[in-house]
């Protein structure tokens, strides 16, 4: 069985950043396994701009951003295999993958970085009455078809869900000559980034129906129409509020789920909230020597943060390989009132150099509130926030010395302040 | 003097900008931006709104059939569909390098359409 010091599963921005930083920190025997026919991951289909403003101080398209990392991987002669799909992973860090060139291969890894990204929630995840005509797509699949293969999925389109992929596809399809009749979002607020509401919908006068859901898809062989209705406080359609649109295509943009079949197979502890592995300050999972970063860990909206996370996971993997990663007493991070989740889920202060970064999302929209960070039960910091929304990932950076004094837990909560 | 609020669309940080505009319509100050691009954006958005445009053109001999392209700089918002028309008939042949010019001075806007990635020739 071949042995590699570090195996990176997934060659998207997270995996590439991790491989590059592990290399820069002294690991030379690295293998990246990517199931697609090229490196870059989801970025290759995100042809819109706005990537890398922070990492490269330039406004790049997704493929342009990916190319920067692919160039680094090539320059450092980090080896990778394409069309190589990892099919099994066990808790002894033995991996099995298949590829057309090599067939079935088993390898042993000294350390592993999980960077498998995420997949889209499909229509099955939310039941919509109607037959199963063609013309129903997930927004990401439609994006890949249009931007990489050059196929339009339809001419008259309705989009369910206001996730970023759906918003970006609304603009993209409009520019390509399709008529996007509207976007329905079941929540009273959008799940997409504000910039995408503005430049993808408002710029093209595409209506956004908040607190609405699709109640019916018409058509036997091909979609012929769609009906939406307003929902009440318990998400039930309100009778009499139905609107029908004449469309041939429905796109679903109803969220992303980390792709963790392999992590689960290796019995890695999962966080039911993020649906990714639970990790510590070094992005190490419950399985020693196995790290996770990017969308497989929690769904990100900013590739800059994905790359940052990948870089840190790569540094930590290198430390582990060089036997410099320590185990110390564990501080848990606890999401309290209003907070959906916190990554990392636990911290060993002994491995923290200068700062500790906590990433989290709030559960709903807030205006003029305070984020209260507590160490054990004492208030460590209060941050005033004019605006918080689930669509935008929040970050707080704590001093390592502040965290070192913690006994058992750090918590974050949203506190409403009296006007 | 009046205050205008808007969201910076330059990057996904989506900063909330507050702009002071004087009675003559001139921008006095921009606040809420995390970087200088937000300031530039706010001033343009109130005078001559512009957008970056991304799309694809047909490519042959490459790993995929479409080459992603981007405007070399932002274009007037109202010109997006014109530029899309100009892209419709373009066909390129691999190899292409990132930043190669695909259309020079597109629609006489004084900007170019450039490749947003490299695509090698495949056999
Ligand atoms: C549609 C969309 C639009 C976005 N827009 C923006 C934006 O405008 N600006 C921005 O900054 N960010 C944006 N993002 C966010 C950011 O780009 C992504 O979150 C980031 O690229 C994810 O990187 P990743 O490496 O975690 O995952 P991915 O890029 O998905 O990479 C995972 C890789 O792992 C591979 N893989 C999975 N399982 C296996 C296996 N078993 N064996 C081998 N390989 C495997 C996959 O093929 C894939 O290549 C967007 C994201 C999406 C989905
Ligand atoms: S002001 Fe700067 S950081 Fe904020 S959204 Fe605009 S470009 Fe991004």
């Amino acid at each position: 069985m071949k042995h590699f010091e570090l195996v990176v599963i997934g060659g998207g921005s997270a995996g590439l950043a991790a491989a590059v930083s592990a290399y820069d920190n002294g690991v030379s025997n690295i293998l990246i396994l990517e199931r697609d026919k090229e490196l870059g991951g989801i970025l290759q289909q995100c042809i819109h701009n706005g990537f890398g403003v922070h990492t490269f101080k330039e406004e790049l398209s997704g493929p342009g951003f990916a190319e920067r990392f692919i160039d680094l991987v090539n320059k450092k002669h980090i080896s990778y295999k394409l069309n190589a799909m990892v099919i099994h992973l066990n808790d002894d860090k033995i991996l099995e993958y298949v590829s057309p060139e090599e067939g079935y291969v088993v390898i042993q890894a000294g350390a592993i970085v999980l960077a498998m990204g995420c997949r889209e929630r499909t229509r099955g995840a939310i039941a919509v009455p109607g037959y199963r005509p063609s013309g129903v797509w997930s927004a990401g699949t439609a994006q890949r078809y249009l931007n990489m293969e050059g196929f339009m999925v339809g001419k008259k389109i309705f989009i369910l869900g206001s996730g970023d992929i759906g918003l970006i596809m609304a603009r993209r399809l409009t520019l390509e000559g399709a008529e996007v009749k509207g976007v329905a979002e079941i929540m009273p607020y959008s799940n997409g980034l504000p910039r995408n509401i503005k430049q993808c919908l408002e710029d093209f006068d595409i209506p956004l129906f908040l607190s609405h859901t699709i109640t019916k898809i018409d058509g036997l062989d091909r979609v012929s129409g769609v009906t939406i209705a307003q929902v009440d406080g318990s998400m039930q359609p309100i009778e009499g509020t139905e609107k029908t649109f004449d469309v041939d295509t429905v796109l679903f943009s109803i969220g992303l789920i980390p792709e963790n079949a392999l992590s689960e197979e290796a019995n890695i502890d999962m966080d039911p909230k993020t649906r990714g592995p639970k990790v510590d300050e070094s992005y190490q999972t419950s399985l020693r020597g196995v790290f996770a970063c990017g969308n497989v860990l929690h769904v990100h909206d900013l590739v800059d943060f994905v790359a940052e996370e990948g870089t840190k996971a790569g540094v930590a993997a290198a430390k582990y390989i060089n036997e410099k990663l320590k185990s110390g007493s564990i501080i848990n991070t606890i999401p309290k009132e209003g907070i959906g989740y916190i990554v990392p889920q636990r911290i060993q202060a002994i491995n923290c150099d200068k700062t500790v970064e906590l990433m989290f999302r709030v559960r709903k929209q807030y205006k003029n509130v305070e984020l209260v960070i507590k160490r054990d039960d004492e208030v460590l910091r209060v941050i005033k926030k004019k605006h918080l929304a689930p669509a935008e990932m929040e970050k707080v950076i704590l001093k390592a010395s502040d965290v070192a004094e913690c006994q058992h837990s750090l918590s974050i909560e949203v506190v409403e302040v009296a006007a | 003097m009046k205050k205008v609020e808007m969201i910076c669309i330059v990057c996904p940080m989506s900063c909330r900008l507050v702009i002071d505009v004087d009675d003559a319509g001139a921008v006095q100050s921009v606040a809420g931006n995390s970087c200088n691009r937000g300031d530039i954006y706010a001033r343009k958005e109130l005078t001559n709104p512009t957008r970056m445009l991304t799309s694809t053109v047909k490519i042959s001999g490459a790993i995929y059939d479409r080459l992603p392209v981007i405007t070399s700089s932002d274009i007037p918002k109202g010109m997006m569909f014109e530029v899309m028309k100009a892209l419709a008939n373009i066909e390129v042949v691999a190899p292409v390098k990132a930043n190669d010019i695909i259309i020079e001075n597109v629609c006489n806007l004084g900007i170019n359409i450039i490749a947003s990635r490299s695509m090698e020739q495949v056999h």
Side-chain angles (χ1 to χ4, degrees), chain A residues 38 61 67 198 203 387, chain B residues 16 41 51 64 116-118:
Chain A
E38 63 178 346
S61 72
E67 192 161 326
K198 178 157 170 194
D203 271 8
H387 169 96
Chain B
R16 288 173 168 70
Y41 167 78
R51 297 287 182 264
Y64 292 109
S116 77
R117 64 168 287 183
S118 306

Side-chain angles (χ1 to χ4, degrees), chain A residues 8-17 32-54 60 62 65 81 83-88 96-98 114-120 139-140 143-144 164-166 168-169 171 193 195-196 199 256 259 261-262 293-307 309, chain B residues 11-13:
Chain A
V8 177
I9 310 177
S13 32
L16 297 178
I32 304 169
L33 292 171
E34 169 54 55
R35 68 177 169 198
D36 210 338
K37 56 183 174 181
E38 63 178 346
L39 295 176
I42 193 84
L43 288 178
Q44 297 291 15
Q45 69 184 60
C46 303
I47 63 158
H48 55 281
N49 63 302
F51 296 83
V53 171
H54 305 284
L60 298 165
F65 185 94
K81 292 197 190 293
N83 302 307
M85 164 116 173
V86 179
I87 51 169
H88 292 296
E96 300 167 37
Y97 70 88
V98 286
L114 303 172
M116 292 91 76
C118 58
R119 63 189 156 80
E120 289 180 282
Q143 185 180 46
R144 190 179 167 99
D164 287 308
I165 315 177
I168 281 163
M169 281 308 286
R171 170 179 63 182
L193 294 170
R195 75 190 285 253
N196 288 334
Q199 61 182 350
L256 301 164
E259 174 95 62
L262 292 173
C293 53
N295 280 350
V296 81
L297 179 58
H298 57 142
V299 175
H300 289 256
D301 3 80
L302 254 162
V303 72
D304 301 80
F305 292 171
V306 171
E309 215 171 79
Chain B
C11 90
M13 296 269 284

